[in-house]
Amino acid sequence: EPEVTQTPSHQVTQMGQEVILRCVPISNHLYFYWYRQILGQKVEFLVSFYNNEISEKSEIFDDQFSVERPDGSNFTLKIRSTKLEDSAMYFCASSFTGTLDTIYFGEGSWLTVV
Amino acid sequence: GENVEQHPSTLSVQEGDSAVIKCTYSDSASNYFPWYKQELGKRPQLIIDIRSNVGEKKDQRIAVTLNKTAKHFSLHITETQPEDSAVYFCAATLSGGSYIPTFGRGTSLIVHP
């Protein structure tokens, strides 16, 4: 079964540093997403991406966040200047259509900001 | 926007018992309700979903019911097993536009052998 893959699985970074989380969505999927889950809390939507542009974003996705699809396979989330409260599990997800379809999640990238 | 409330936050049952997790949603236009199971340190995985034109859906030991009038939906697990222990998230979403499910806070289900 095809899977969404994410790297790194775990990253520790100093506060103020830039972090890039990488994702390879399922190959024929067209919609891509980033979600965040702070330890013990619910999964929160960050941003969705379609046709090489952001289609929706949440209040969490402020100017320190950006997403990019630099080539035909990768989808990245960049956090420009990390804060302690950015420590969380970041899930990439993809879906074939944008409506009434199942989202497939990656294994997650655990980010620890110290 | 949509708001999803989920109860209980933790649920402890004996192996073989049934478990019920309930969610309510606020936006009457929502019409797709997936349930995800997340084992410790793993990704959320879809276990069952229901669309608003259906009142109940069953898949072996798992069933989901939907009451559109009351805007609530429930997950039922029968004959629970220790491997059912996980965090379960409900979600609600609206068709049309991007697929952005709003998640509930999750229920930690513990099945004691």
Side-chain angles (χ1 to χ4, degrees), chain A residues 3-4 33 35 37 41-43 45 48 55-56 91 98-103 105-107, chain B residues 31-32 36 38 41-44 46 49 51 89 95-101 103-105:
Chain A
E3 287 185 341
V4 176
Y33 312 85
Y35 286 82
Q37 186 177 31
Q41 298 188 25
K42 67 175 170 180
V43 176
F45 168 73
S48 64
S55 47
E56 286 192 51
F91 289 104
T99 61
L100 286 184
D101 197 2
T102 57
I103 282 182
F105 285 88
E107 291 270 352
Chain B
N31 54 10
Y32 177 61
Y36 291 86
Q38 186 179 27
K42 301 277 184 71
R43 76 184 89 190
L46 181 77
D49 56 14
R51 287 164 166 73
F89 291 95
S95 70
S98 297
Y99 177 86
I100 312 294
F103 287 87
R105 288 199 168 270

Side-chain angles (χ1 to χ4, degrees), chain A residues 41-109:
Chain A
Q41 298 188 25
K42 67 175 170 180
V43 176
E44 299 175 293
F45 168 73
L46 291 178
V47 65
S48 64
F49 193 86
Y50 170 71
N51 200 26
N52 283 321
E53 60 182 27
I54 291 173
S55 47
E56 286 192 51
K57 59 183 180 178
S58 71
E59 292 173 355
I60 303 168
F61 194 87
D62 60 22
D63 291 344
Q64 70 159 343
F65 290 94
S66 63
V67 289
E68 198 176 37
R69 189 155 163 81
D71 52 45
S73 59
N74 289 285
F75 179 52
T76 62
L77 174 70
K78 183 192 288 186
I79 309 174
R80 265 180 263 285
S81 177
T82 50
K83 300 183 280 220
L84 294 176
E85 52 265 38
D86 293 328
S87 295
M89 178 74 92
Y90 288 81
F91 289 104
C92 174
S94 69
S95 66
F96 180 63
T97 69
T99 61
L100 286 184
D101 197 2
T102 57
I103 282 182
Y104 290 80
F105 285 88
E107 291 270 352
S109 293

Side-chain angles (χ1 to χ4, degrees), chain B residues 63-94:
Chain B
V64 58
T65 59
L66 171 65
N67 183 328
K68 284 177 59 180
T69 305
K71 289 189 282 187
H72 68 70
F73 55 113
S74 301
L75 178 72
H76 304 253
I77 306 173
T78 57
E79 299 171 34
T80 53
Q81 300 165 4
E83 50 265 39
D84 294 330
S85 297
V87 178
Y88 291 82
F89 291 95
C90 63
T93 190
L94 172 65

